[in-house]
Amino acid sequence: MVMAMIGLDWGSSSLRAMRLGAGGEVLELRQSAAGASTLHGRAEEFAAALDALIPDWHEGSAPILACGMVGSQHGWREVPYADGPADAGALMRLSLAVDWRGRPVRLLPGLRCSGAAGAPDLMRGEETQVLGALQLEPTLAAQSCLVLPGTHSKWAQVQDGCVAGFATQMTGELFAVLRQHSVLGRLMPAEADPSPEAFEQGVAAARDHGEAGLPNQLFGVRSLGLAARIVPEGLADYLSGLLIGHELRAGLAWREARGLNAAPLRLIGEPALCERYAHALALFGEPGSQALSNTAPAGLWRLANQGGL
Amino acid sequence: MVMAMIGLDWGSSSLRAMRLGAGGEVLELRQSAAGASTLHGRAEEFAAALDALIPDWHEGSAPILACGMVGSQHGWREVPYADGPADAGALMRLSLAVDWRGRPVRLLPGLRCSGAAGAPDLMRGEETQVLGALQLEPTLAAQSCLVLPGTHSKWAQVQDGCVAGFATQMTGELFAVLRQHSVLGRLMPAEADPSPEAFEQGVAAARDHGEAGLPNQLFGVRSLGLAARIVPEGLADYLSGLLIGHELRAGLAWREARGLNAAPLRLIGEPALCERYAHALALFGEPGSQALSNTAPAGLWRLANQGGL
C-alpha cells in the first residue's frame, strides 16, 4: 500500500506539519512554535495547536502520524517506549491514537535500549529520523552507524532495517549550560565570529589528552582564557570542540565495541552542525563523513507504509 | 624566626581572618561574607572589609598575610601566578603588598603548572591549604598526593616540600549547573534525604562503565529517573556519585602517571565532603582515606615563617 499522508514532527520546542504525496514527497510544510513542552500536557491544547497550524488539512481522510515528544509523559498522550531492536512495524504496533476533532492522529512510541551500566537509554523522535535515512539511502539498512548531533546527540546502530541500539551524549546541553551558567562563560563575549582554529584546538585536546577527563579539560577553557592563550572570542568554539571531541572519543569507541567500524557512518541533522561534526571527525582520522538532513518526513512515510498504518 | 601574625583566607565568596600565636595556634577567628568577588576589584572596598571585620586588630605590628582570590585579577591587587614547582619561599618571594590604612598586607600569588594538552592549570588559595597540610603532618612533605574536593577540585602532588604539580576537576560546579539548569534537575525534588545507595550506584557506574563517557552517563540520570529505576529523591545523589566517580577515575590515573601510587593520599576540606570522597575512594578499592580540615591557618603560618615574611 502506498499512500498520501500527513506527518507531524512534534518535538519539545516546535511542531512541523507536512503533507506527503503517495511517493513520500513533501508537498507542503508548515511550522509553529507550539512544541510539546509548551502545551502543559493538555489534550485540548494539542488539538488547538493543530487547529491553528493546519485547519485546512482537517478535512479528508489521509492518515496522520506523529513522532516526537508529543507522545511523552507530558505530551498529548503518553505512548510507552518500544524496546529495541525495533523496525518500522514494531514501532507502529505500539503507536496509540488520539482524537483531533473526529480524526485519529497516531502517536509513535519512543525507543528504549540498554545503555552503559545497565541504565536504559531513550530516544523519542530520533528513531523516525533514523528510519528516514534508511528510506533515503537504502544501503544503510543492512548495517550502519548513524550519528544525530544535537542537544542530546544520538549514536545509533542500524542492523537489518532495525534500530538495534543507541547511545545518547548530552553534548549540546552541556555546551549550553556551561556557557550560560558556569564560570567558563564569564570570559566569553556575548557574540563572536566563528573561530575554526579554536574549535580544532578543542577537538585535538579531547582527542590527544581526553584521558585527563572532561571535568579537568573543561577547566582548561578558563585557564587558557586567563593565560590569554586563547582569545575571548575563541573560547566558546574551544569549548564546543572539546565537548564534541569527547563525544567522538566515546562514540567511536562505542562504534568499535558494536563491531561497526567497517559499516557506513552518516551524520543526520542540520547541515551546519553536521559540517562541524564532519570537521571534528576528520581530525579524528575520519575524513569525508557524509550527512543527511531533514530525514523525518521520509521516516514518517516509511513508518506509515512499512508499518501498515 | 617564629612570629605571631594575622592571616587572611580571602576567597571569592568569604573572608576569614585569624590571629595566630607564635606557635601557629589560632587565637581568634572571624568570618564575613565580604568575598573578593563581591568587592568589585576596588582597593577601597577591600580595605573597608577589613575595617568592618577586624577594626580592633589594626593597631600593632604583627605581619598580615593573605591568600586566595584577593590576589586575583579582580582582587585587591593582582599578584601574578608563581610557576610550580614552588615551596613556601618561592611563593613568598612573589607576594605583593597592599596598604590597609598604613599597615602592609602581603598578598600571596596563585600557582600555575602545566596541565593536560599543554593547557596551564591554576590554583589560588589551595596552595596555602596544601602547605598547611605539610605543616600539620610533616611526613607528607617528602612525597604525597593531596586531594582538595570542591567546586573546582584540586589533585596536588607534593615533592620535597614543594607543590610539584596539580590537576583541577570542575566536579562541584558541574553538579551545581547540571542540577540547577539542565534537564537532569527537572526530575529532582528541591529537598531530599541523603541516599547513600544512589550515591554508591553513581560511583559504581563511573568506575565500571566510565569509558562510555561522562556526557553519555549523565543522560542516564534522566533515563534512570524516567524508568523509575532510581526514585526522584535519589537522583541528585546518583549524579553526585557519577561526577565524583569520574573525578576519581581521572584523578587516580593522574596519580599513577605521576608515580604517586605508593605515596600517602590525604583529603583536605570540609569533613562531610571529605567523607563523601573517602566513601567513593573505598568503592574504587582505596578504603580508609584520611582527611585534614581547615589547613589554611597552618599554611599561612608556614608561609610566613618559612618564607621569611
Side-chain angles (χ1 to χ4, degrees):
Chain A
M1 178 182 66
V2 172
M3 65 171 87
M5 62 176 288
I6 293 172
L8 304 176
D9 179 7
W10 206 330
S12 290
S13 55
S14 72
L15 161 61
R16 299 196 318 152
M18 54 206 92
R19 285 199 304 116
L20 302 177
E25 69 279 19
V26 179
L27 302 175
E28 192 179 350
L29 175 71
R30 298 185 194 173
Q31 179 155 350
S32 88
S37 70
T38 70
L39 300 176
H40 314 97
R42 291 190 204 115
E44 175 53 31
E45 294 197 31
F46 283 87
L50 293 186
D51 294 341
L53 186 62
I54 50 169
D56 48 325
W57 298 2
H58 184 268
E59 277 191 33
S61 60
I64 308 178
L65 182 62
C67 69
M69 295 304 280
V70 65
S72 72
Q73 214 173 356
H74 304 291
W76 193 334
R77 172 180 180 177
E78 184 175 6
V79 188
Y81 288 95
D83 282 305
D87 61 7
L91 290 164
M92 284 300 293
R93 278 192 292 281
L94 291 167
S95 65
L96 293 174
V98 289
D99 173 68
W100 174 37
R101 323 285 180 216
R103 287 198 63 183
V105 175
R106 285 237 148 233
L107 308 184
L108 284 159
L111 191 58
R112 178 171 54 201
C113 75
S114 179
D121 209 328
L122 305 170
M123 56 170 55
R124 209 178 259 284
E126 292 92 346
E127 73 295 328
T128 300
Q129 292 182 59
V130 166
L131 294 175
L134 310 191
Q135 189 65 26
L136 296 172
E137 193 176 338
T139 56
L140 296 175
Q143 185 179 59
S144 54
C145 178
L146 305 185
V147 181
L148 291 73
T151 302
H152 298 166
S153 295
K154 307 287 179 185
W155 286 62
Q157 174 181 11
V158 170
Q159 203 81 36
D160 301 325
C162 290
V163 187
F166 56 91
T168 301
Q169 299 269 354
M170 281 185 57
T171 305
E173 181 157 12
L174 274 170
F175 178 80
V177 299
L178 289 168
R179 172 161 193 175
Q180 290 164 33
H181 300 292
S182 86
V183 70
L184 304 185
R186 285 192 213 150
L187 298 174
M188 299 175 187
E191 293 188 27
D193 289 333
S195 171
E197 299 75 18
F199 177 75
E200 288 177 6
Q201 208 176 332
V203 173
R207 180 192 63 199
D208 299 337
H209 303 276
E211 73 290 346
L214 181 58
N216 171 259
Q217 293 202 294
L218 287 174
F219 191 71
V221 179
R222 177 164 174 78
S223 61
L224 287 164
L226 288 176
R229 295 259 300 276
I230 296 179
V231 295
E233 291 74 19
L235 288 173
D237 275 318
Y238 180 82
L239 172 61
S240 167
L242 197 58
L243 289 166
I244 291 174
H246 272 271
E247 176 177 338
L248 294 190
R249 270 181 86 89
L252 293 174
W254 177 88
R255 180 179 70 161
E256 182 166 17
R258 315 246 345 168
L260 295 173
N261 278 5
L265 181 148
R266 293 290 180 275
L267 294 160
I268 302 178
E270 291 295 318
L273 185 58
C274 288
E275 176 50 43
R276 211 167 171 78
Y277 272 65
H279 185 176
L281 276 163
L283 295 172
F284 269 76
E286 301 246 355
S289 298
Q290 294 172 44
L292 297 164
S293 70
N294 195 24
T295 61
L300 287 163
W301 191 84
R302 182 186 183 93
L303 280 152
N305 280 275
Q306 293 197 354
L309 181 64
Chain B
M1 178 182 66
V2 172
M3 66 171 83
M5 62 175 287
I6 293 172
L8 304 175
D9 179 6
W10 206 330
S12 290
S13 56
S14 72
L15 161 61
R16 300 198 317 153
M18 52 205 93
R19 284 199 307 116
L20 302 177
E25 69 279 18
V26 179
L27 303 174
E28 191 178 350
L29 174 70
R30 298 184 193 172
Q31 180 155 348
S32 88
S37 71
T38 70
L39 301 175
H40 314 97
R42 291 190 204 115
E44 175 53 32
E45 293 197 31
F46 283 88
L50 293 186
D51 294 341
L53 186 63
I54 52 170
D56 47 325
W57 298 2
H58 184 267
E59 279 191 31
S61 60
I64 308 176
L65 183 61
C67 69
M69 294 305 278
V70 65
S72 73
Q73 216 174 352
H74 302 291
W76 194 334
R77 175 180 180 177
E78 184 175 6
V79 189
Y81 288 96
D83 282 304
D87 61 8
L91 290 165
M92 284 299 293
R93 278 192 292 282
L94 290 169
S95 66
L96 294 174
V98 290
D99 174 70
W100 176 35
R101 324 285 181 215
R103 286 196 65 182
V105 175
R106 284 237 148 234
L107 308 184
L108 283 159
L111 191 57
R112 179 172 53 202
C113 77
S114 179
D121 210 330
L122 305 170
M123 56 169 56
R124 207 179 263 283
E126 292 92 347
E127 73 296 327
T128 300
Q129 293 183 59
V130 167
L131 293 174
L134 310 191
Q135 189 65 27
L136 297 172
E137 194 176 338
T139 56
L140 297 175
Q143 185 179 59
S144 53
C145 177
L146 305 185
V147 181
L148 292 75
T151 304
H152 297 165
S153 295
K154 307 288 180 186
W155 287 61
Q157 174 182 11
V158 171
Q159 203 80 36
D160 303 325
C162 289
V163 187
F166 56 90
T168 301
Q169 299 269 355
M170 282 185 58
T171 305
E173 181 158 12
L174 274 170
F175 178 79
V177 299
L178 287 169
R179 174 165 191 170
Q180 291 164 33
H181 300 292
S182 85
V183 71
L184 304 185
R186 286 192 213 150
L187 299 174
M188 300 175 187
E191 292 186 29
D193 290 333
S195 170
E197 299 76 17
F199 177 75
E200 288 176 7
Q201 208 176 330
V203 173
R207 180 193 63 196
D208 300 336
H209 303 277
E211 75 288 346
L214 180 58
N216 170 259
Q217 293 200 295
L218 288 174
F219 191 72
V221 179
R222 177 164 174 78
S223 61
L224 287 163
L226 287 175
R229 294 261 300 276
I230 297 180
V231 295
E233 292 72 19
L235 287 173
D237 275 317
Y238 179 82
L239 172 61
S240 167
L242 197 57
L243 288 167
I244 290 175
H246 272 272
E247 176 178 337
L248 294 190
R249 271 180 84 88
L252 293 174
W254 177 88
R255 180 180 71 161
E256 182 166 20
R258 315 258 327 179
L260 295 172
N261 277 5
L265 180 148
R266 293 291 179 278
L267 294 160
I268 302 178
E270 292 294 319
L273 186 57
C274 287
E275 178 48 45
R276 211 168 171 76
Y277 272 67
H279 184 176
L281 276 163
L283 294 172
F284 269 77
E286 302 245 356
S289 298
Q290 295 173 43
L292 296 164
S293 71
N294 195 24
T295 62
L300 288 163
W301 192 84
R302 182 185 181 94
L303 281 153
N305 280 275
Q306 293 195 354
L309 181 65

